[in-house]
C-alpha cells in the first residue's frame, strides 16, 4: 500500500504549526517542494507498521513537520526517528535532533506502529511545514493568517486564549545598560522572531527597560532611536502572526520602587513612557497588548500603601492609553498584581482596581516560578512531590476563581523555575520535566495562558535550536495533551553488586503505556520487561545486556517508554559505584572538595554543626541551595563550596557535610573555615 505526493511548502510564517525543532529558511516566503512516500510495511489484525520517506526538492530545510489526517480512525502507538503527536484523527511528525536538516534532493525517513479497526486506508494528503501538498513546486506565496484577532469588537477572553502558548524575549530589550546586548544576548533579529513562531508559539512578550533611554526631567523624553527599535521588533512579531506584549520592565525596581519617596518624579517618568508608547502604537494591530509594569514593587511601605501606589500606576496607564484613541481605545490592557504574585491579598487588590476602571478589555497577569524550595532546590525539595504539585493547583485555582471565572482573562506572563537563573541543572531533569508537564496541563484546565520565561538559556538566539530538546518536546505536548512520566528517569546499576531487576513506577496521567524501546528497537514485553498496573519492571538480564560487560561509569544506555499520547519518557541506565571524596586545603573564596563521582550525580547537600544545628545560608534548614551554596563540577571531579556558603559559616567551627546522590548513596565530609582558609577532611 503505497501513495506518493509532491509538496509545495513555504516560508517561515507558513510553518506556524510546525513540530519539534522546526527552523525556517533565512529567506522569507521561499518556495519549497517535497516528495512523500507513505508505505504500510506490515499489517495484522488491529495493528500495522508504516514507513514514511520525505524527499526535499527545494532549498535546504532546517527543521520539518509533516502532518496528515487518518481517514479510518487509525492511531499512532509509537514512532521512531520522529516525534509524532496526535489529536483525534490529526497526526504530526516532527524531526528529532539528528535529522532536522534536509538538503536539496536529500531524504529523511521515519516509521511508526499504529492501530486500526475496520479499515486501514492511507491518508489522502500530507502537509509539510503547514502547507498542503498539492502536486508541484510553487513560487513565493503570501503567508496565511492563521490566528486572526477576534472579529468585530475585541474580546479579551478570546484574545488571551489565542495567545497560548507564549514566549518571553528575556534579557534583550529589558537589559540594563547601553542597549539590548548589555546582558550578553545578541541583537534581536527577524529570523529569531520567525523561528519562535515556527516552534508553534502564538505570542511573544517583549520586556523593555526604559531607564537608560529616557531623558532628564521635567519632560523625561523617551529616546527616539530606542522607541523605534522596540517598534521594529514589535513589527517583526506582528508580521510573523504573533500576539505581542510590550511593557515597562526592570524600571519597576530601578526607579519606580521609590514612588513613595519620589512620587512626582516617578509619575512624571512613568506617564512620559506610556504617552510615547501609546502615540507610537496608536494604530497598531489589536494583536499588540500593553502591560502597565512588570513585577511592581515599592520600597519601605506596607502592603496597603503598596496596593494604593500600584492602583495609581495602573489607573494612569489606563487613562493615557485609552485617551489616545485609535486602536488604543479598545486594545487589551494587562494589569499586574503587586510583585505579580498570586497570593490572595494581591489578587483582591487588583480585582478592586479592575472593578473601578469598569473596562471590559482588561486582562490580569501574575508570574509563576513554582513552589520556591523546589524551584531552587533547597530544604531537601529535590523531587516533584505532592507538595510541589499542590502549589501549582492552589495558585492556578486562586487565579482562576478571582479572574477567569469572572470573565477576566489571565496571562501567566512569566513561568519557569527560579533555579534556572543559577544553573539549568539545578533541578534534576526528570523532576523538572514532571513540573512542566503538570503545570502545562493544569493551566489548560484553568484557561490560563502561559508565557515561558527565556533569557537565552532555552532557545538559541542565533542557533535557533533548543538547549534541551527533551524539555521542549514535553512543553509542546503539554499545549494539547498530557504525557506519561515516571517516578524516575534514571536507573542506577552498581558495578560492585549483582545486577537485579529494576522497578520504575509509571505516572500514566490518563495515557496508556505502549512499549519500552532502546533507540528504535522495541524491547520484548514479558521477556525484557513487564508491566503490572503502573509498575514497570526492567529485567536484570536486559540491564546486563544493555550495560555491557564491565561498563564504564555513567549513562550506558537510554530507554524510552512510549505512551498513547504525549512525549516519550526517557529512562537512562547508569553504571556507577559509590562516590568518594578526599582531603583538601584551600581558600574560602575558591574551595572545592575533590570528588570521584564514579557515575553518580549529586542531588543535594546537608550542612550541620556538631550540635546538630544548621550551618551556612538558609540556616532554617540543613539542606543548602543548589548552585548557590554548592555545585558539582563533574568534568573537574569536584564539588564546589561557594564563598556565599562560607560567608555564613561560623569561624573555627567544624561543619559536617552530607552529600546526597541520586543513586541513594550518601557521603560524609567535614570542613572548618578559619580566617578565610578552609580545611576539608573525610574523618
Amino acid at each position: 500500500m503505497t501513495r506518493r505526493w509532491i509538496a509545495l511548502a513555504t516560508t517561515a510564517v507558513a510553518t506556524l504549526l510546525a513540530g519539534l525543532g522546526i527552523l525556517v529558511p533565512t529567506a522569507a516566503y521561499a518556495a519549497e517542494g517535497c516528495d512523500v512516500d507513505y508505505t504500510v510495511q506490515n499489517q495484522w489484525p488491529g495493528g500495522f507498521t508504516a514507513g514514511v520517506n520525505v524527499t526535499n526538492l527545494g532549498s535546504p530545510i532546517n527543521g520539518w513537520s509533516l502532518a496528515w489526517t487518518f481517514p479510518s480512525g487509525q492511531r499512532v502507538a509509537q514512532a521512531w526517528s520522529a516525534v509524532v503527536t496526535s489529536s483525534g484523527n490529526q497526526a504530526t511528525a516532527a524531526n528529532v535532533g539528528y535529522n532536522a536538516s534536509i538538503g536539496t534532493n536529500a531524504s529523511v525517513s521515519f516509521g511508526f506502529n499504529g492501530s486500526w479497526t475496520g479499515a486501514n486506508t492511507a491518508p489522502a494528503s500530507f502537509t509539510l511545514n503547514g502547507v498542503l501538498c498539492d502536486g508541484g513546486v510553487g513560487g513565493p506565496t503570501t503567508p496565511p493568517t492563521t490566528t486572526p484577532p477576534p472579529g468585530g469588537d475585541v474580546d479579551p477572553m478570546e484574545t488571551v486564549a489565542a495567545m497560548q502558548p507564549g514566549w518571553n524575549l528575556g534579557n534583550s530589550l529589558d537589559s540594563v545598560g547601553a542597549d539590548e546586548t548589555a546582558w550578553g544576548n545578541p541583537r534581536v533579529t527577524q529570523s529569531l522572531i520567525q523561528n519562535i513562531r515556527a516552534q508553534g508559539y502564538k505570542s511573544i512578550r517583549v520586556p523593555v527597560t526604559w531607564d537608560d533611554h529616557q531623558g532628564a526631567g521635567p519632560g523625561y523624553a523617551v529616546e527616539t532611536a530606542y522607541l523605534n527599535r522596540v517598534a521594529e521588533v514589535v513589527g517583526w512579531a506582528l508580521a510573523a502572526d504573533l500576539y505581542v506584549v510590550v511593557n515597562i520592565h526592570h524600571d519597576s525596581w530601578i526607579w519606580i520602587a521609590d514612588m513613595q519617596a519620589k512620587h512626582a518624579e516617578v509619575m512624571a517618568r512613568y506617564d512620559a513612557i506610556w504617552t510615547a508608547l501609546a502615540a507610537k502604537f496608536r494604530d497598531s494591530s489589536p494583536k499588540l497588548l500593553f502591560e502597565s509594569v512588570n513585577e511592581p514593587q515599592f520600597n519601605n511601605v506596607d502592603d496597603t500603601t503598596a496596593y494604593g501606589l500600584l492602583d495609581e500606576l495602573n489607573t494612569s496607564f489606563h487613562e493615557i492609553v485609552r485617551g489616545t484613541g485609535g486602536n488604543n481605545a479598545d486594545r487589551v490592557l494587562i494589569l499586574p498584581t503587586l510583585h505579580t504574585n498570586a497570593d490572595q491579598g494581591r489578587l483582591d487588590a487588583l480585582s478592586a482596581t479592575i472593578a473601578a476602571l469598569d473596562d471590559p478589555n482588561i486582562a490580569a497577569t501574575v508570574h509563576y516560578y513554582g513552589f520556591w524550595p523546589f524551584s531552587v532546590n533547597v530544604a531537601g525539595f529535590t523531587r516533584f512531590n505532592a507538595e510541589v504539585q499542590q502549589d501549582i493547583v492552589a495558585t492556578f485555582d486562586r487565579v482562576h476563581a478571582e479572574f477567569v471565572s469572572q470573565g477576566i482573562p489571565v496571562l501567566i506572563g512569566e513561568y519557569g523555575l527560579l533555579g534556572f537563573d543559577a544553573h539549568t541543572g539545578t533541578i534534576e531533569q526528570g523532576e523538572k520535566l514532571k513540573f512542566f508537564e503538570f503545570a502545562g496541563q493544569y493551566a489548560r484546565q484553568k484557561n490560563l495562558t502561559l508565557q515561558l520565561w527565556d533569557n537565552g538559556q532555552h532557545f538559541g538566539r542565533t542557533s535557533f535550536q533548543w538547549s534541551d530538546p527533551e524539555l521542549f518536546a514535553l512543553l509542546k505536548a503539554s499545549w494539547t495533551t498530557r504525557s506519561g512520566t515516571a517516578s524516575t528517569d534514571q536507573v542506577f546499576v552498581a558495578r560492585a553488586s549483582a545486577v537485579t531487576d529494576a522497578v520504575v513506577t509509571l505516572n500514566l496521567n490518563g495515557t496508556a503505556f505502549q512499549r519500552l524501546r532502546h533507540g528504535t528497537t522495541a524491547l520484548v514485553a514479558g521477556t525484557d520487561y513487564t508491566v503490572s498496573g503502573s509498575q514497570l519492571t526492567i529485567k536484570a538480564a536486559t540491564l546486563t545486556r544493555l550495560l555491557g560487560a564491565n561498563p564504564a561509569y555513567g549513562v550506558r544506555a537510554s530507554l524510552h517508554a512510549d505512551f498513547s499520547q504525549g512525549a516519550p519518557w526517557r529512562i537512562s541506565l547508569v553504571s556507577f559505584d559509590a562516590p568518594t571524596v578526599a582531603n583538601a586545603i584551600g581558600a574560602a573564596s575558591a574551595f572545592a572538595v575533590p570528588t570521584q563521582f564514579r557515575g553518580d550525580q549529586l542531588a543535594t547537600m546537608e550542612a550541620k554543626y556538631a550540635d546538630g544545628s544548621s550551618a551556612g545560608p538558609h540556616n532554617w534548614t540543613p539542606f543548602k541551595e543548589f548552585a548557590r551554596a554548592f555545585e558539582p563540577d563533574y568534568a573537574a571531579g569536584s564539588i564546589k563550596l561557594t564563598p556565599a556558603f562560607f560567608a555564613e559559616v561560623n569561624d573555627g567551627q567544624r561543619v559536617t557535610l552530607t552529600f546526597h546522590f541520586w543513586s541513594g548513596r550518601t557521603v560524609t565530609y567535614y570542613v572548618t573555615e578559619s580566617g578565610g582558609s578552609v580545611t576539608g577532611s573525610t574523618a
Side-chain angles (χ1 to χ4, degrees):
M1 190 186 303
T2 302
R3 303 186 67 160
R4 299 176 71 84
W5 291 265
I6 303 291
L8 169 67
T10 68
T11 97
V13 177
T15 61
L16 300 176
L17 298 179
L20 174 66
I22 291 173
L23 305 177
V24 297
T26 55
Y29 318 141
E32 305 294 344
C34 78
D35 183 57
V36 179
D37 191 354
Y38 176 93
T39 304
V40 174
Q41 300 168 330
N42 191 18
Q43 182 170 303
W44 59 94
F48 69 103
T49 299
V52 183
N53 186 78
V54 182
T55 302
N56 176 31
L57 302 178
S59 59
I61 295 172
N62 191 5
W64 53 267
S65 176
L66 195 72
W68 66 93
T69 300
F70 282 120
S72 306
Q74 301 99 317
R75 294 292 184 268
V76 174
Q78 57 269 326
W80 46 94
S81 300
V83 176
V84 177
T85 56
S86 301
S87 178
N89 292 329
Q90 308 297 314
T92 301
N95 63 271
V96 290
Y98 64 83
N99 65 3
S101 299
I102 318 176
T104 303
N105 295 320
S107 300
V108 295
S109 297
F110 65 93
F112 62 85
N113 289 331
S115 61
W116 64 281
T117 56
N120 190 17
T121 308
S125 63
F126 287 83
T127 62
L128 178 70
N129 285 0
V131 176
L132 179 66
C133 304
D134 62 355
V137 179
T141 63
T142 300
T145 300
T146 59
T147 55
D153 293 336
V154 173
D155 184 318
M157 292 294 287
E158 290 181 8
T159 296
V160 173
M163 295 171 69
Q164 168 68 14
W167 180 84
N168 273 267
L169 182 64
N171 286 20
S172 284
L173 290 163
D174 58 313
S175 299
V176 177
D179 65 12
E180 66 201 80
T181 67
W183 283 359
N185 278 323
R187 279 179 63 84
V188 178
T189 63
Q190 187 171 16
S191 293
L192 170 64
I193 304 301
Q194 291 171 336
N195 274 274
I196 283 298
R197 188 63 182 92
Q199 306 307 302
Y201 283 99
K202 302 293 183 62
S203 65
I204 180 171
R205 184 170 178 257
V206 182
V208 186
T209 299
W210 302 94
D211 181 52
D212 289 306
H213 308 284
Q214 192 173 19
Y220 299 108
V222 173
E223 180 185 303
T224 300
Y226 209 69
L227 182 58
N228 288 340
R229 174 58 175 158
V230 172
E232 181 177 43
V233 173
V234 168
W236 289 339
L238 291 172
D241 197 28
L242 286 160
Y243 286 82
V244 188
V245 176
V246 169
N247 73 356
I248 294 178
H249 203 75
H250 292 304
D251 305 86
S252 61
W253 55 265
I254 297 172
W255 53 270
I256 293 176
D258 289 328
M259 185 173 173
Q260 178 74 351
K262 301 178 180 180
H263 184 273
E265 177 184 332
V266 167
M267 287 305 302
R269 291 191 68 178
Y270 180 83
D271 288 353
I273 294 170
W274 276 117
T275 298
L277 281 168
K280 185 72 172 179
F281 295 109
R282 176 182 183 275
D283 297 316
S284 292
S285 165
K287 296 182 74 170
L288 172 63
L289 290 75
F290 293 151
E291 176 189 2
S292 65
V293 60
N294 172 73
E295 296 183 355
Q297 53 201 275
F298 303 98
N299 297 328
N300 305 315
V301 298
D302 58 19
D303 280 356
T304 300
T305 303
Y307 294 148
L309 295 173
L310 179 55
D311 176 79
E312 187 174 359
L313 290 175
N314 282 334
T315 300
S316 184
F317 158 73
H318 178 267
E319 180 180 346
I320 290 168
V321 175
R322 290 289 185 250
T324 56
N327 285 339
N328 287 343
D330 58 2
R331 186 181 305 284
V332 176
L333 303 182
I334 305 168
L335 304 183
T337 60
L338 184 65
H339 297 286
T340 334
N341 176 275
D343 287 350
Q344 192 60 53
R346 281 38 170 155
L347 302 179
D348 291 342
L350 181 57
S351 285
T353 294
I354 294 174
L357 292 175
D358 192 25
D359 183 335
N361 292 337
I362 297 290
T365 186
V366 297
H367 293 172
Y368 188 71
Y369 284 99
F371 181 61
W372 180 74
F374 172 78
S375 74
V376 300
N377 191 348
V378 73
F381 280 88
T382 58
R383 294 188 180 275
F384 182 72
N385 61 18
E387 192 169 0
V388 179
Q389 178 174 308
Q390 181 56 33
D391 189 78
I392 296 173
V393 171
T395 301
F396 290 5
D397 282 356
R398 284 196 305 274
V399 173
H400 179 274
E402 186 80 31
F403 297 119
V404 179
S405 67
Q406 304 303 312
I408 301 167
V410 173
L411 289 93
I412 309 295
E414 295 178 16
Y415 92 110
L417 289 167
L418 286 178
F420 285 164
D421 285 346
H423 193 297
T424 54
T426 295
I427 315 301
E428 193 275 329
Q429 181 73 358
E431 306 307 310
K432 176 198 311 178
L433 295 176
K434 285 183 274 189
F435 169 86
F436 281 102
E437 193 283 327
F438 187 85
Q441 67 85 26
Y442 202 70
R444 280 192 295 109
Q445 285 190 41
K446 295 300 176 180
N447 298 314
L448 307 175
T449 289
L450 294 172
Q451 295 188 301
L452 178 70
W453 179 256
D454 188 351
N455 60 21
Q457 79 271 61
H458 294 312
F459 189 68
R461 299 290 170 91
T462 56
S463 69
F464 309 141
Q465 299 284 344
W466 290 96
S467 302
D468 187 344
E470 190 173 53
L471 172 59
F472 178 64
L474 186 138
L475 286 172
K476 185 176 177 66
S478 76
W479 300 341
T480 56
T481 190
R482 293 212 66 175
S483 295
T485 64
S487 57
T488 184
D489 63 341
Q490 302 177 98
V491 169
F492 286 89
V493 181
R495 295 204 315 176
S497 306
V499 178
T500 59
D501 292 353
V503 178
V504 175
T505 301
L506 300 175
N507 305 317
L508 295 174
N509 297 331
T511 72
F513 174 81
Q514 298 287 341
R515 69 167 184 172
L516 189 67
R517 58 180 167 85
H518 178 224
T520 60
T521 302
L523 301 185
V524 180
T527 301
D528 294 324
Y529 68 93
T530 61
V531 176
S532 176
S534 62
Q535 298 298 109
L536 167 66
T537 301
I538 307 171
K539 296 296 188 179
T542 305
L543 297 173
T544 301
R545 182 179 79 250
L546 293 175
L547 289 166
N550 192 30
Y553 291 129
V555 177
R556 309 312 307 159
S558 288
L559 306 180
H560 285 86
D562 290 327
F563 301 90
S564 56
Q565 62 188 34
W569 181 261
R570 174 188 46 79
I571 302 172
S572 293
L573 307 184
V574 185
S575 173
F576 87 106
D577 281 323
T580 62
V581 292
N583 297 341
I585 297 175
S589 59
F591 184 80
V593 180
T595 307
Q596 293 186 37
F597 292 97
R598 307 213 293 176
D600 216 334
Q601 297 172 20
L602 186 62
T604 188
M605 180 188 82
E606 284 184 274
K608 295 180 180 180
Y609 294 116
D611 63 2
S613 61
S614 299
H618 301 311
N619 61 11
W620 48 271
T621 174
F623 289 94
K624 304 296 101 174
E625 183 176 347
F626 194 102
R628 299 291 188 185
F630 69 96
E631 183 177 351
D633 187 334
Y634 297 106
S638 66
I639 300 173
K640 299 177 183 178
L641 302 181
T642 68
F645 171 74
F646 286 112
E648 299 194 42
V649 167
N650 295 337
D651 193 86
Q653 282 195 247
R654 193 184 206 208
V655 177
T656 300
L657 304 178
T658 304
F659 297 114
H660 294 255
F661 292 86
W662 279 104
S663 68
R665 300 294 199 275
T666 60
V667 174
T668 302
Y669 194 72
Y670 305 93
V671 292
T672 304
E673 186 270 334
S674 180
S677 296
V678 180
T679 300
S681 63
T682 60

